[in-house]
Amino acid sequence: MKLRYVILYVESPRETISFYQQAFGVEVGMITETGDYGEMTTGETTLSFSSLSLMESLGKSPAPADANRPCFEIAFQTEDVAGSLAKALAAGAELVQEVKQEPWGQTTSYVRDQNGFLIEICSAVTAPA
């Protein structure tokens, strides 16, 4: 078995996908004609967005994300954490944590998107010297 999709429930998949394109350079995989579901190409696992209204019509009761009380995070790995953070902020992301060197050999920063999802922008983990 392999992890194929991560689907986040948002108000507007189209707007969210546009933000992720600008903020993180992630490519659009597809968006339905109605615009209530879309996917972004991120490698092995697809990052997807489904509208809250679609999920409600399917009998689900989605709750909005809360970056102040997150139950998960999305992490984008990059070789330029500071530059990627600046790009995300310019696209409208809200700063949660500035760039920080972690004791486990990783550089991290955090933002939240317009839906309240917590997003880590990080380097690969390297063994501390």
Side-chain angles (χ1 to χ4, degrees), residues 44-102:
E44 284 284 318
T45 303
T46 301
L47 179 58
S48 304
F49 301 98
S50 181
S51 70
L52 294 168
S53 60
L54 173 63
M55 298 316 296
E56 289 167 358
S57 75
L58 296 173
K60 309 292 189 275
S61 298
D66 183 352
N68 294 319
R69 298 186 62 205
C71 60
F72 73 93
E73 66 186 57
I74 301 166
F76 289 110
Q77 184 177 309
T78 178
E79 292 184 20
D80 180 9
V81 175
S84 296
L85 174 60
K87 182 178 177 182
L89 295 174
E94 184 179 334
L95 181 66
V96 173
Q97 176 198 296
E98 289 283 355
V99 175
K100 179 180 175 185
Q101 293 298 117
E102 303 292 359

